[in-house]
Amino acid sequence: QVQLVESGGGVVQPGRSLRLSCAASGFTFRRHAMHWVRQAPGKGLLWVSVISSNGNIKYSEDSVKGRFTISRDNSQNTLFLQMDSLRPEDTATYYCAREAEGALDVWGQGTLVIVSS
Amino acid sequence: DIQMTQSPSSLSASIGDRVTISCRSGQSISNYLNWYRQKPGKAPELLIYSASSLQSGVPSRFSGSGSGTDFTLTISSLQPEDFATYYCQQSFSTPAPTFGGGTKVEIK
C-alpha cells in the first residue's frame, strides 16, 4: 500500500544537527513533489519545505532558510531533511507528505524532534 | 504569503449534527483550497481537494464549497471519528502552501 515512514527524530541540544528520513513505498516516488510539514506541541500545521520530483527545485519557509536542507534520493525512494543550528522553537513533530496537484494526499506518521539542553 | 483564517477556532457538537467550518483567504485563490482532518495523535488526512472534490475513500458526509476567498467544509452528520481538528490549506501560492489555524470539533 501507499506509505510514508519517517525516522531520525529524537532529543538534541540547541545548535546541534539532526537528519530526518522519509521512506516511501507503494507508489512511483520520482513522479511526485514532496513536502515536510511540522507541528509544534499543541499547535497547528506549519509548512517547512518542498522539493520537486527530480530534486532540482527546493523552497523552504523563512524561519528555516539557511538552516534546513531538503533533499531526495529517487533511487532509494527516500526524502531527507537535514536540520542544522537547531533551536528550541524547532521542537515539533515533523511529517513528510506527498503532493498531488497541490494537495498533500499521503502523510507519514510523523517523527518527534525535541530541541532542549 | 497568503494568510488563511478559519472560524470558529473550536466548536462543540453532538453525534448526528450538521457542522460547518469556514476558511477565508487573504486574497483570491480561485478553487485552490484543500481540507484535512487530524485525529488526536495522528497525522492529517486529506478530505477535500480543489475546494469541492472528495478525496478517494473519504465518506460522502464530507463536502466542500466556495471559491475566491471564502470556503466552507460541511459534515452532514457528525460521527464519533469526526471529533478532531480540521485544517484548510491553500495551494494557489505554490510551491509554498499555507494552512489555516485549525478548527477543533469537540463533543457536546
Side-chain angles (χ1 to χ4, degrees):
Chain A
Q1 72 280 24
V2 175
Q3 194 173 12
L4 297 171
V5 179
E6 300 97 336
S7 60
V11 181
V12 61
Q13 293 180 327
R16 303 299 290 265
S17 299
L18 210 57
R19 189 193 200 202
L20 306 183
S21 299
C22 169
S25 60
F27 67 98
T28 306
F29 180 70
R30 66 179 183 275
R31 290 183 180 171
H32 292 267
M34 297 293 296
H35 296 251
W36 287 99
V37 176
R38 71 182 182 185
Q39 186 171 38
K43 302 297 184 182
L45 301 172
L46 177 69
W47 172 79
V48 173
S49 193
V50 60
I51 187 168
S52 62
S53 57
N54 63 8
N56 288 348
I57 301 172
K58 307 173 186 180
Y59 290 97
S60 293
E61 192 264 334
D62 285 347
S63 70
V64 307
K65 277 180 184 174
R67 299 189 300 123
F68 290 11
T69 303
I70 190 170
S71 63
R72 66 191 295 161
D73 183 342
N74 284 348
S75 68
Q76 297 294 317
N77 295 335
T78 305
L79 174 72
F80 302 100
L81 186 67
Q82 177 67 40
M83 304 187 295
D84 298 324
S85 303
L86 281 161
R87 305 168 179 169
E89 55 264 37
D90 296 319
T91 293
T93 296
Y94 286 74
Y95 298 99
C96 61
R98 183 181 84 170
E99 180 183 319
E101 298 183 14
L104 305 182
D105 70 334
V106 179
W107 294 66
Q109 84 288 354
T111 187
L112 178 61
V113 173
I114 297 174
V115 184
S116 174
S117 54
Chain B
D1 289 0
I2 299 177
Q3 297 299 313
M4 306 300 294
T5 304
Q6 287 183 236
S7 61
S9 57
S10 66
L11 64 89
S12 296
S14 301
I15 300 296
D17 282 354
R18 181 181 181 89
V19 169
T20 60
I21 298 169
S22 296
C23 178
R24 176 168 289 180
S25 58
Q27 66 183 71
S28 178
I29 58 171
S30 184
N31 69 334
Y32 291 88
L33 192 283
N34 310 303
W35 289 99
Y36 302 85
R37 174 179 66 180
Q38 186 177 31
K39 299 175 184 177
K42 301 295 185 181
E45 52 184 324
L46 178 65
L47 301 174
I48 301 287
Y49 63 95
S50 299
S52 60
S53 296
L54 192 67
Q55 174 69 354
S56 175
V58 173
S60 59
R61 64 180 181 273
F62 291 95
S63 63
S65 64
S67 66
T69 60
D70 292 292
F71 303 87
T72 300
L73 174 70
T74 300
I75 309 171
S76 60
S77 178
L78 202 64
Q79 298 302 300
E81 60 269 31
D82 299 333
F83 292 97
T85 301
Y86 294 81
Y87 295 93
C88 62
Q89 172 240 327
Q90 65 81 18
S91 53
F92 178 84
S93 176
T94 56
T98 48
F99 293 91
T103 296
K104 186 174 184 179
V105 177
E106 299 175 301
I107 300 174
K108 182 183 285 185

